[in-house]
Amino acid sequence: MRDALLTVRDFSVVYDVDPPVEAVKNVTLDLRRGEILGLAGESGCGKTTLAYGLQRLLKAPAVITSGSVVFHDSSGEDIEVDRLDAEQMRRFRWDKISMVFQGAMNALNPVATIGSQLEDVFEVHRPGMSRAQRREAVAELLEIVKVGPQRRRSFPHELSGGMRQRVMIAMALALRPQLMVMDEPTTALDVLVQREILRQISQLRREFGFTVVFITHDLPLLLEISDRIAIMREGEIVELDTAEQIWTNPRDEYTRTLLSSFPRLTGERGVVAR
Amino acid sequence: MTAVQPRPPVEDAIEVGTTATTVVKGHSRVPWRFLAGRATFYLFTLWAAITINFFLPRMMKGDAVDQYLSRNRNVSPEAADALRSLLGLDTDKSLLQQYVEYWGLLLRGDLGVSLLHGLRPVTEVIGQALPWTVGLVGFATIVSFAIGTIGGAIVGWRRGSRLDGLIPLTTFLGTIPYFWLGLLAIALFSVNLGWFPIGKAYGVGMTPEWSGEFIGQVIHHGALPAATIVLASLGGWMLGMRNMMLTVLDEDYVTVAQAKGMPTSRVLWRYAARNAVLPQIQSFALSIGFIVGGTIVMEMVFSYPGVGKLLLDATNAKDYALMQGVFLVITLSVLVANILADVAYAFLDPRTRQTEG
Amino acid sequence: MTTDLRPEQAPEVRSERTSGRETSLRGRLGSAFAMFRNRKSITGLTILGFFVLVAILADVLAPYSPTKVDNTARFQPPSAEHWLGTTHLGEDVLSQVIYGTRGIIVVGFLAAILATVIAIVVGVVAGYVRGWRSESLSALTNVFLVIPGLPLIIIVASMFDDPPLVVIAAVLGLTGWAWGARVLRAQTMSLRNRDFVQAARANGEPLRRIIGNEMLPNLMALIAASFVGTVTAAIIGLTTLSYIGVIPVNTYNWGTILNWASAQGAFRQNQWWWFMPPGLCIAAIGVALSLINFGIDEYVNPRLRSAGERARAMKKQGLDVNDPVTVVRTTTSHQENA
Amino acid sequence: STGQGGTTGGDPTAEAGVALTIAKPDGAITTESHNPYLGDSSASKYGYAKVIFEPLALVNPTGDLGTTPWLAESVEWNDDYTELTVVPRSGVTWSDGTEFTGDDIVFTFDQYLNGTLTDTSGLNYEGATVDGDAITLKFADSKYTAQSRVLHTPIVPKHIWENIADPNTDPLTEDGLAVGTGPYVLSSWSTESVTLTANPDYWGGELAVPELHYISYGDNAALTTALVSGEADWAQAFIPQIEDSYLSADEDNHFLASPTAGAATLFMNLQTKPFNDVALREALAWTIDRQAYVDIAREGASEPVWNVTGLGSVLEDEVIPEFQGQEYSVDVDKARQILTDAGYTWEGDALVDPDGERVSFSISVPAGWSDWNTEQALIAEELNEALGIEVVVDQPDWGGWDAARQEGTFQAIIHWLEDTGNAYGMYTSTMDPKWIVDGRAQFNFGRFEDPAVTEALNTYATASSDEEREEASAVLQTAFAEHVPAIPLGAHPLLGEYNTRNYVGWPTEEDQYASADPTQPGIVQVLVNLEPAE
Amino acid sequence: MTVLEFDRVTKIYSVRGAGQIKALDDVSFSLTSGRTIGLVGQSGSGKSTIAKILTQLETPTSGEVRLDGEPIPRRGAGLRAYRQKLRMVFQDPFASLNPYHSIRYHLERPLRLHGVVPKAEMDDEVRRLLERVRLQPDAVVDRRPHELSGGQRQRVAIARALASRPSLLVADEPVSMLDVSIRLGVLNLLADLGREEGLGVLYITHDLATARHFSDEILVLNQGRVVESGPADDVILRPQDPYTRALRAASPDPEAHFASLSGSDGGAL
Ligand SMILES: Nc1ncnc2c1ncn2[C@@H]1O[C@H](COP(=O)(O)OP(=O)(O)OP(=O)(O)O)[C@@H](O)[C@H]1O
Ligand SMILES: Nc1ncnc2c1ncn2[C@@H]1O[C@H](COP(=O)(O)OP(=O)(O)OP(=O)(O)O)[C@@H](O)[C@H]1O
Ligand SMILES: [Mg+2]
Ligand SMILES: [Mg+2]
């Protein structure tokens, strides 16, 4: 179909505590360029760990115990993420892979304006840019996510939850990365706002053509928006298939349990039937 | 207070965002009501403190003349009455009358004369001592705060390293009695090693002037007391900052900063420490307020001129005017420090600007 | 009416460890003191307990009366008869230190109890009620923050011919509660709107039960911390006041010993046996109290506890907490490292 | 060398022409006032008023108790000591160049007359008459017991002071106001020290010390440290363990304690139990170890008072023959015998009075007066050990102590005496009802009252002949020995620590021409007497 | 049969610095035993405010709440009796249980306060309550809240609300914090109670799908106003108000999604 962007082989993460927690076990995964991969599973199954682990964002006591992650850059170069040293990793981050974090209130520095937090990214990764250029880039980003450049001077708490989430998305977009990992970007939000943000993400993806890993445990939502869905349970990917296949023909027992756990919105009363 | 705003019907629910109930926007940026409330609050505190400060000393046993006689044994006890009228203590006004008069004088900036200091105006007496207290202790407090906070940030950041040992060490230094520390410091550095003078603010025969020599002297003389104050108070700042750092380091925005590829120093100072320092500001303000009163022991041990000894002596000598004067300075500085803390906090933490409660 | 909806698999009640569940009273007590159940607190409590014991058993432990004058044995360095030497009057320093513990413990604890009780009453009430009542209580708190404690102590002490320790403790307590009240007020205000307090109200619980049974237990750690803090402040206050001679020096405490030592030039004469023990005792009790406080802090905020330990434990495994990059330790590279 | 501001520091070699640093333990003296009449002006607190403003004559409070005319060429009292005739010294100029004349003396005293200056010394001055050179100052009552109060009145220049509105309080801080006849003139004043330089035109001749620094340390301990390190040269301080901590630090360090007529005295409240019984007081007098007071509480800086008349060594001559050599000693058996005779018994170790009550009392001294605090402990221990009296050591703050002594609510206190330079001080302080006004006592705290004694006191004070005075003195001494209204412990000493590194000529044990206390008026005598060391 | 009427209630909050907020605007409905009313609306629309007014934690600015035609007493025994009849399950199971007290304490308090059973039977009653919410009494009764999972806590909260044998229950988003798989169990329990014991339930949520399935009637709240109400299926399947429609459109519905899909790759994004 499409060519691969990220190849994950036999990837395991252990929290080296007593007793050790094997949060991600031998995950093998191919991420295709431009697709939306939904990652679902009950809470605590290792979704966040996997997503963070891919770009080695986990702090000790987390240890990657096996596997490899290879990033196929659009320039044609293959980057072996697990071989990078700290400085290379720092450069790699955000430039190639960016993230939208779970709680936007907590993901933004409460004492800095959103403008300065956005500029930060350029300052560090694009040292060549002038101050004016950075300003302009920030204004453009805020425009894109419909927060509006006039909000540049606002502090996070002055924005609504939805706006904050959009600022996070703007930040993730800043360097036009090839992969965006979104960890439950909408769970804290209202359905209406959630919908609006999803619409925006889809629009931006069409524009910029990045790949999305979308994490949530809201299966109905995932079924709607993803190309492919991976179902995780206790650190393992138990099923990985297209959304339709998952919906119509779930193979794993656990997937089936999940799918039978939400009532119908329309049609006859009762749990969803496939 | 504004009236209930009629809410216009919302066309597009999505546009509204999460707050389905619109907060009335465009209210004045300056929260006058809040400020007025704070001002009333502070004025009340000031009034109450001054009133207490007026009545408390007058509940003490003994009076200033007896004290004067015991200090000046060459003065004939037979002259007690003459002295009483000389010192203005022969009035038979009621306490309430005196209180009202005190306020009258206070509002005119007249703090009376100090019996203990040759009947000089209290303003002059305090004016001579205050700069030294504020200078030395203020400086030491700032240094201690700065070192403690920066150190605490680093210790918190490099948790688990050998630096962790600094916390118990500084705590220990903070718990040993200050005078002990001071006396040992003098014994070691002044008497045995001779590196520093034994005390005083500057050398004998010097008169204050803006010369290099004088400033050098002031620094030389102030170094040991300042250093002991810093040592004794460092622990609190360091521990506070370190604990806040540990809390802040687990916040998402620190992880986000790292995910954004920020260099370590930037994450440490701009993200983590910048947030962790906020609660320190409050304590700092309070400690600034207490500088004025809290240094009696240092002044005794290091023969340093200052307000603390002034207060102690005034209390012992029943020098009401001077006591009240020093109280006033302490009260004012605590209040001013509190106001400054309010302002600084609002300035440093944008969140409080809105949701002050 | 409603359709019965059963998931294919009923969510199981997770089997959690039922390790030796506590039964009511013992368990309650245990949990009430849970904040002291860590190594730091226990070390601190042990040291403190030691001093409390010394204070209680002073009569038994002290080899001499603290005021037993012996003109023939002045300024003696430590010896078999006088383990910590003697003072300028030939008094036994060890006995003075032992008896001096009493004043310290009595004043420290009485002052702290008083200050804590006032802080709880004023702070919690100010936090729970609203409007002018809350504001006036907090104004009261501020006034007490502003009043200088030292003159107050001198003034009150002067009202008594021979101010007993209780009075000194009372004054130290009266001037020391404001800080705790402030902290408790803030915390109570945040507790006030917590759901479980609301739930208790919705339950119809009377006010005193809401404050006493729902809020206080949750303020316990804070109260304990403020108590310990006040003990420290009172002890340091007492020794300082004794040292500068504001408090009568005939009631022996470590501050008065130091006062005497300093007045008699022990510091200059390197009569360390005289001034070191009380100084070190003050430091020891100070350290003990801060250890307890660390323990409480760590109980309230487990991060404080785990951060350092975890980091050290990781270090042993070759991990650095601050490493912004996840360590890769595949079996092969791990072996290389090892 | 600490080498600050020209102090001599610890220079090993003697250096002429270096400044002398005089130190006090009074904390920073930060407010400037050169008024010699005001007890709490910086000039009085430091004591530098005494080297600027000079008195008519200097009365030696120690040694021979003699009087040395100073600004007066001669001083002479009339028989009943109500008139003082002085001849002003000629050739003296004020430090601003104006000539010193008798007018200045008259002006100085007349300030008391017209009420511009408060009579804090209780002079009751009535006016002066001038007869040629001689000026006669008249007083309302006999000044026999207050000679030094009259003679030590600082003489101020008329031409300056006549323009001063309130001589009680004026700080004299404006230029050209702090003008005196003294050996030194003010050079600079700062919150940390005061510098005075030698007066080049001083009438007393050339001064060896060109410059004086006055400095005040935070407390006794800091002052001692400064003395030991050489940062300060001369002070009046109670230094504990003085031998080890000061004298042995440098062989040039010296210490002189000069006994005076005053004494630290145990006052007992004669009005209430247990001290309303003379037997108990006497027993105490036979038990309390005055030598221990001197040796331990005062570190040797005093002299014990053993004589039954309560008079110490400087007043030995005044003791009537009957009591010469009649001394108390520590004689516990005797004390117990006195008690037994008076009906006291012992219950185990505890003393029980004739009423069957256990004897106990509290002895009270303000907290922080460490020498007397020590003595409290000593007395408590001695009395408990020897007589089985339980003594409660009470250390209130000054105010509480002061109230108790004035109102007579104490049981026992240690207090100083009024020093009149003769036996009168001892007896008026302990037995004179004149001190009790409106029920409040300024002295005689025990409230002794005996008409015969009162009369003898009046006679002593106003007598116009020595015989009359001796008779009165005999009555007083007998009454004192009989009633034991108070127990003097040790002479009040004037202390002085000084060093001979750069200057010699100080008062010594052998030659106490003045005390070595730099805060005493006699400082000018010492300064004039100093010479560069070899 | 108990009827609770919520009659034209308006609630205005004064917020310092932000003026006044109208949280409820002229809201009326009535709750009867044995029936479930679903109250939906997005965050901040005033749902919890209704619950708080019902439980007398807040007083309405205007309007009235009546129980069987009687106004609700403001204090004293009357209020206690009312609180026994109407109980509430709080929005957040993590916050509404006091971390300091054991589960037993939480359940015994209402039993004691309202004198439901004699002291001797207290223990049995606690066990019965726990069993009712399908928790094993032995396993949980002496634990404290933090030792339970979210689902278990939620059930304890429900058990507590049921302890005083109320006839009406206000359940404020009782499942919002729970995992999909646990959610259903809790809701089924409430449904059972309504059926078996005639409990009237006010089910507050913003999840349209569960609201539809567990309630007889649905009230849609927007900015403090009831914009639509009626039988559950009517409101969800045939929404009249634009806001209800927007809400419905925003709720994911995989069935409709896959039905409309013709197997192509275009996701919603
Ligand atoms: N620092 C840590 N130390 C030890 N174990 C951890 C740590 N962080 C996470 N875990 C454990 O790792 C497992 C996976 O956690 P993770 O956060 O990846 O789950 P998740 O699927 O994202 O859950 P959620 O949906 O709740 O966000 C969990 O069992 C968790 O308890
Ligand atoms: N105590 C209060 N003071 C001021 N405003 C309040 C208060 N409580 C609620 N509000 C405001 O009233 C409005 C309704 O709040 P409410 O809690 O009822 O919403 P909700 O529908 O329960 O929302 P959610 O789904 O987020 O729980 C909100 O705008 C809220 O900010
Ligand atoms: Mg997660
Ligand atoms: Mg709600």
Side-chain angles (χ1 to χ4, degrees), chain E residues 18-65:
Chain E
Q20 296 184 313
I21 286 172
K22 210 178 221 179
L24 288 183
D25 188 2
D26 202 19
V27 173
S28 305
F29 65 90
S30 68
L31 183 60
T32 335
S33 46
R35 285 177 65 80
T36 300
I37 295 184
L39 186 57
V40 297
Q42 58 187 129
S43 252
S45 56
K47 304 185 297 292
S48 296
T49 306
I50 289 182
K52 282 185 192 153
I53 289 176
L54 280 177
T55 47
Q56 293 288 294
L57 291 175
E58 296 282 358
T59 44
T61 312
S62 72
E64 206 177 17
V65 184

Side-chain angles (χ1 to χ4, degrees), chain D residues 341-355:
Chain D
D341 292 348
Y344 286 79
T345 50
W346 278 269
E347 225 171 65
D349 279 342
L351 181 66
V352 177
D353 69 14
D355 299 341

Side-chain angles (χ1 to χ4, degrees), chain B residues 99-131:
Chain B
Y99 176 65
V100 173
E101 272 173 31
Y102 172 64
W103 267 105
L105 291 172
L106 192 63
L107 292 178
R108 263 173 275 144
D110 181 354
L111 298 181
V113 295
S114 162
L115 307 184
L116 189 56
H117 293 265
L119 297 174
R120 303 298 296 144
V122 166
T123 40
E124 183 187 317
V125 177
I126 295 179
Q128 289 283 5
L130 195 59

Side-chain angles (χ1 to χ4, degrees), chain D residues 5-42:
Chain D
T7 46
T8 55
D11 271 347
T13 55
E15 232 181 288
V18 294
L20 196 68
T21 302
I22 301 171
K24 294 258 325 208
D26 294 348
I29 298 171
T30 53
T31 311
E32 186 175 5
S33 169
H34 312 305
N35 192 318
Y37 295 118
L38 195 57
D40 285 329
S41 65
S42 58

